Amino acid sequence: MDDNILDPELTDNHDVEVDEEFHHLNNPVLGIKPIEKKYLGTVTEVVQDKNKFFFSDNDARVEVTVVSDEIIRVRLAPHGVFLDEFSYAVPELKVTASVFSLHEDENEYRVSTNTVNCHINKQDFLIHFSDSQEHVTSSDAVPMHWEENTQFGGYYVFGTKVCHQDEAFYGLGDKASNLNLRGRRFRNWNTDAYSFAWNQDPLYRTIPFYISLNEGIAHGIFVDNTFRSTFDFAAEDFTKTSFWADGGELQYYYIHGPHMMDVVKRYHSLTGTHPMPPLWALGYHQCRWSYYPESKVRSVTRGFRDNKIPCDGIYLDIDYMDGYRCFTWNRKYFPDPKKMIKELAADGFKTVIIIDPGIRVDDNYAVFREGKEKKYFCRRCDDYFMEGHVWPGRCQFPDFTNPEVRRWWGDLFDELVEAGVAGVWNDMNEPAVFGAGTFPDDVRHQYDGYRGSHRKAHNVYGMQMVRATYEGLRKQMKNKRPFTITRAGYSGVQRYASVWTGDNVASWEHLHLGHIQLQRLSMSGIPFCGTDIGGFSGEPDGELFTRWIQLGTFSPFMRAHSAGDTKEREPWSFGEPYTAINRKFIELRYRLLPYLYSTFWEHHRYGFPILRPVVLQEQDVLNNQARQDEFTYGDKILICPVLEPGQTQRIVYLPKGKWYNFWDKKLIEGGNEITVPTPLETIPMFIKAGSVIPEYPVQQYVGEKEITEVKINIYYSDYEVNSFFFEDYGETFAYEQDIYSEKKFIVNGDAASLTIEQSMEGLYTPRYENYAFNIVGLPFKPAKVIIDGKMLTDFDQSGDASFKFIFTKNFKKAEILK
Ligand code: GLC
């Protein structure tokens, strides 16, 4: 092996990062011998077992698994013995590649699918990936390596890739940094990060998946390892990208592009997508720590109806409980929860309650007693219970990595479901412990039979908690979709819950940061995400709150939340003109609900993210690598939020193609930066030409009105554009049995005509009969409308910008002719 490889600069850098426990054990002053890094040697053998190829250097083995044409997994076993296959992120590894092969030549082995080659260099075990044109997309800078540690019987495992000069990096889920991660180093260790700051790290979630973009070609690396991990994107050495974990197995998926969007979709093919949420959960949610007693809850909900501001979700934070004991009610504040929830529901409010993991140590408390008797709480290595202080005081914590505990926990929701609770908010599940931060490393976890310490289970604890919550609610709500939200998570958490970005601050900086965090979460496999609108701690003024509502209108999850020591924070709390503007935007949220819901379907079914940073749309434009201030909502609506006080205009980049300014319907050629006025009443918002945007009437809550007609906004285009429109019952799992309606529109026009075609899939028929067509941007005066061969005479061209007519929702082809 090359000397440079044996003693890379990187080795020193790694040592800086090892945790204190480990550092101490290896302190040369104490006479313990320093740990040596071991590198893969020369390949001596290869063995194939179906889609798996095992390469060995006489001691260590590397497994290369062909997962699909575009995904290859690599695993390292330092002494030849692989760990059992088990992953919370990838519950089932679906192998879809049917054609693959192994070639050998003088220098290398090559495992190939139709799309990707994985090259294993015989001499030094360097691995690289190339596409079918032999273009190298990813290569090892040094062979995979590890440090053995007899003290805790595991390895630190390392992978190091070559980093190119203009390579950009995205993903990692929950980082408070610029969208492009290049030049920084990040740790993954779920952390309660109250009032976090720019570049503070780590935060609440661990998503060890990144996307690389180099010379317009993307690939992804998903390091499925739950231990504390580190990613270094050319921070210490600008020629290298490294990742390492403080235990477990080095296991990563190489996910081929070439488009970033392909990588995101393929990541979802491994880790799953978000189930369809109940439609109401896409409405506006109002939260505070805490609304109590009942009279306060009622005055807030009445405030929404009186002010005619739509709202679907009302939250009860920890004060609804008796001494913060989960699954209890404070009867002084809430004497008859069932009655209250029922009456709120009659007024269109869904009640969401918080549930934390800490269970108060109290033998008079049934949940504690049962958990104790059945040994469901986490224990230390010496078998004593793990105890820590959180809101209820002295607590023990269920081991959610035990399937039996998850079932028990899920069943605990029966009374809450019976009382009418529609959603559950899981918090403090990093897990957070006052003072200590989190559990000690030696806490034991059942880990679905693959037992381990907290070092292995920490990052999945929150995900398994919300999984238990979701599965329990799903069972008890019968065929109704539960709504769940979690603070902590690991890759795959999207199968069970939405997330919010945690305890942010009421500042312009945090508005900006939250906006980037949501884009990052979206491209990291977490589609249903939002920030605490207005900022959790501190006081926003009316302008900041309104700008945040405007961003929130286009956040997949829209909830205002604030800490208990702040002033009132409802959409009408700041007076005029803010109330009217907040109302207008929340109404816009409700008008666009069918569009958002359709976008959610595109996520659920096909793995598209809901928010899409510009670079995800146009990765070939180099400047887009640094564009993080705008995004598209779905692929049809471009949003550029206002992120500074007093801003009267801002520069917006419109990707190539043609766009309509949503507010004045003017058509603008994309591929350029433009300056857009930003009075408080609007934010820059553009609709892609050719889009079909379905629109519902404004409702005060989902289901308030029967939808008797859907407005179909069609934006003229002189090139072909496809759109989706998804509908179903909005609250059941019938869509899993194909009871849904997925409509596809194709819009195309020329100087004298516009054609709209519709095709349908699925077994659901909405109750309304007609679409109200609203055609925007026709470049000619229409003389005729022909729908499915029939001539329509009743149309309205009164407005300047649009052209309207009504026709049955079942049309197949409409032509508007000059
Ligand atoms: C945590 C949560 C916050 C919640 C508070 C009280 O700080 O992040 O959203 O309001 O706990 O439950």
Side-chain angles (χ1 to χ4, degrees), residues 394-685:
R394 189 177 147 210
C395 285
Q396 294 189 7
F397 301 82
D399 180 9
F400 295 107
T401 68
N402 180 339
E404 195 183 325
V405 175
R406 288 199 297 271
R407 275 192 295 278
W408 167 70
W409 181 262
D411 288 345
L412 290 172
F413 287 94
D414 61 349
E415 282 174 26
L416 289 168
V417 170
E418 224 273 307
V421 161
V424 175
W425 166 26
N426 281 164
D427 187 23
M428 304 288 282
N429 53 354
E430 291 70 32
V433 174
F434 295 156
T438 190
F439 297 179
D441 280 352
D442 70 270
V443 166
R444 295 300 189 248
H445 293 272
Q446 204 262 4
Y447 214 91
D448 278 69
Y450 301 89
R451 300 183 64 84
S453 75
H454 197 63
R455 296 160 45 81
K456 178 163 88 166
H458 176 83
N459 284 334
V460 295
Y461 186 85
M463 172 194 189
Q464 295 312 302
M465 176 189 186
V466 77
R467 171 186 180 183
T469 302
Y470 178 78
E471 289 174 346
L473 293 176
R474 187 163 172 173
K475 192 164 105 196
Q476 283 158 48
M477 290 183 171
K478 309 284 179 320
N479 196 28
K480 272 211 171 154
R481 297 175 206 167
F483 167 73
T484 39
I485 179 161
T486 178
R487 198 168 70 176
Y490 179 72
S491 290
V493 67
Q494 71 273 11
R495 300 194 301 274
Y496 313 112
S498 62
V499 304
W500 89 105
T501 56
D503 294 341
N504 60 358
V505 180
S507 68
W508 290 91
E509 189 183 40
H510 260 268
L511 174 63
H512 197 173
L513 184 53
H515 156 59
I516 296 169
Q517 285 178 288
L518 296 185
Q519 294 182 63
R520 191 191 332 280
L521 284 166
S522 298
M523 67 205 296
S524 310
I526 303 206
F528 199 12
C529 52
T531 58
D532 281 352
I533 292 174
F536 179 69
S537 59
E539 300 286 356
D541 59 11
E543 184 189 4
L544 175 58
F545 186 78
T546 289
R547 290 306 195 189
W548 217 313
I549 284 278
Q550 292 172 335
L551 174 67
T553 300
F554 303 98
S555 299
F557 174 63
M558 185 181 192
R559 181 184 79 164
H561 181 37
S562 50
D565 55 356
T566 59
K567 292 192 207 129
E568 309 252 290
R569 192 84 72 75
E570 288 79 43
W572 58 86
S573 301
F574 301 91
E576 296 298 351
Y578 307 108
T579 305
I581 302 171
N582 297 341
R583 180 188 300 110
K584 177 173 104 174
F585 272 85
I586 297 174
E587 286 181 354
L588 181 57
R589 170 87 176 189
Y590 280 75
R591 285 164 55 196
L592 292 174
L593 267 187
Y595 171 76
L596 174 57
Y597 197 51
S598 304
T599 304
F600 220 114
W601 176 251
E602 277 189 277
H603 163 75
H604 170 71
R605 185 164 185 188
Y606 305 105
F608 287 100
I610 293 174
L611 299 186
R612 306 174 188 188
V614 181
V615 67
L616 200 63
Q617 311 263 357
E618 258 189 3
Q619 66 187 43
D620 52 322
V621 176
L622 197 61
N623 283 343
N624 285 349
Q625 288 193 357
R627 281 202 172 99
Q628 56 184 21
D629 286 353
E630 51 186 84
F631 57 85
T632 66
Y633 180 62
D635 67 337
K636 304 286 191 277
I637 303 182
L638 183 120
I639 299 294
C640 187
V642 176
L643 306 167
E644 283 172 27
Q647 197 165 20
T648 54
Q649 59 177 46
R650 63 166 306 172
I651 292 173
V652 179
Y653 169 75
L654 294 176
K656 281 169 251 158
K658 291 178 182 162
W659 297 85
Y660 289 87
N661 185 323
F662 176 77
W663 306 105
D664 63 13
K665 312 293 183 232
K666 286 216 176 82
L667 186 64
I668 304 159
E669 188 67 45
N672 297 303
E673 284 186 347
I674 55 169
T675 302
V676 185
T678 54
L680 192 62
E681 297 73 37
T682 68
I683 55 169
M685 173 173 176

Side-chain angles (χ1 to χ4, degrees), residues 24-312:
H24 170 75
L25 291 169
N26 293 287
N27 187 339
V29 183
L30 298 177
I32 301 169
K33 82 173 168 37
I35 301 275
E36 192 194 329
K37 276 198 169 53
K38 303 255 173 66
Y39 293 78
L40 286 168
T42 298
V43 185
T44 53
E45 187 194 47
V46 56
V47 176
Q48 178 177 358
D49 178 12
K50 298 189 196 107
N51 62 327
K52 294 186 172 170
F53 300 85
F54 296 91
F55 300 89
S56 155
D57 69 356
N58 262 342
D59 183 14
R61 285 207 299 165
V62 170
E63 179 200 275
V64 171
T65 304
V66 175
V67 178
S68 70
D69 269 353
E70 298 90 3
I71 303 177
I72 290 185
R73 185 181 69 180
V74 177
R75 296 210 286 165
L76 166 71
H79 293 300
V81 183
F82 291 96
L83 299 180
D84 287 330
E85 288 228 12
F86 174 75
S87 164
Y88 283 121
V90 185
E92 187 194 351
L93 191 62
K94 292 188 203 103
V95 175
T96 57
S98 48
V99 183
F100 47 84
S101 56
L102 175 72
H103 299 276
E104 181 182 357
D105 65 24
E106 206 186 321
N107 299 320
E108 66 168 26
Y109 293 103
R110 195 166 78 237
V111 175
S112 303
T113 71
N114 283 329
T115 320
V116 179
N117 305 298
C118 173
H119 307 255
I120 297 97
N121 191 303
K122 288 181 174 173
Q123 182 62 32
D124 50 20
F125 231 128
L126 290 170
I127 295 180
H128 67 270
F129 295 89
S130 68
D131 64 17
S132 50
Q133 276 90 51
E134 297 283 325
H135 174 86
V136 175
T137 49
S138 159
S139 32
D140 279 348
V142 291
M144 291 194 280
H145 47 290
W146 63 94
E147 287 171 4
E148 302 194 23
N149 188 303
T150 44
Q151 269 82 5
F152 65 76
Y155 307 105
Y156 284 77
V157 288
F158 303 83
T160 300
K161 304 277 174 194
V162 171
C163 175
H164 301 274
Q165 204 178 342
D166 288 327
E167 196 168 352
F169 300 94
Y170 301 92
L172 280 201
D174 197 17
K175 300 296 170 195
S177 300
N178 286 338
L179 200 62
N180 180 354
L181 303 166
R182 191 188 168 104
R184 299 204 71 85
R185 173 180 280 201
F186 300 95
R187 295 287 263 166
N188 292 313
W189 184 252
N190 294 355
T191 301
D192 177 4
Y194 173 78
S195 292
F196 53 90
W198 267 95
N199 291 327
Q200 184 172 323
D201 184 57
L203 301 183
Y204 304 89
R205 280 164 286 273
T206 292
I207 312 289
F209 159 61
Y210 72 83
I211 305 169
S212 139
L213 178 61
N214 184 41
E215 294 178 352
I217 295 180
H219 75 269
I221 298 284
F222 169 38
V223 186
D224 188 8
N225 180 311
T226 62
F227 284 77
R228 189 191 303 250
S229 57
T230 306
F231 285 73
D232 181 303
F233 298 104
E236 293 299 330
D237 176 341
F238 67 89
T239 65
K240 292 185 186 110
T241 300
S242 297
F243 42 86
W244 61 95
D246 298 3
E249 195 167 66
L250 183 58
Q251 163 178 215
Y252 70 87
Y253 293 85
Y254 166 82
I255 306 175
H256 197 62
H259 298 292
M260 292 173 78
M261 191 65 90
D262 297 334
V263 176
V264 175
K265 286 167 69 180
R266 288 171 189 148
Y267 170 76
H268 278 297
S269 75
L270 293 169
T271 61
T273 60
H274 199 292
M276 285 305 285
L279 186 56
W280 68 263
L282 299 182
Y284 177 77
H285 300 229
Q286 184 67 38
C287 186
R288 181 164 174 84
W289 174 18
S290 302
Y291 288 131
Y292 74 94
E294 177 173 338
S295 56
K296 179 69 191 171
V297 177
R298 288 185 187 264
S299 81
V300 171
T301 53
R302 201 173 324 111
F304 277 93
R305 300 303 178 237
D306 289 349
N307 283 289
K308 294 245 164 311
I309 296 178
C311 181
D312 265 272

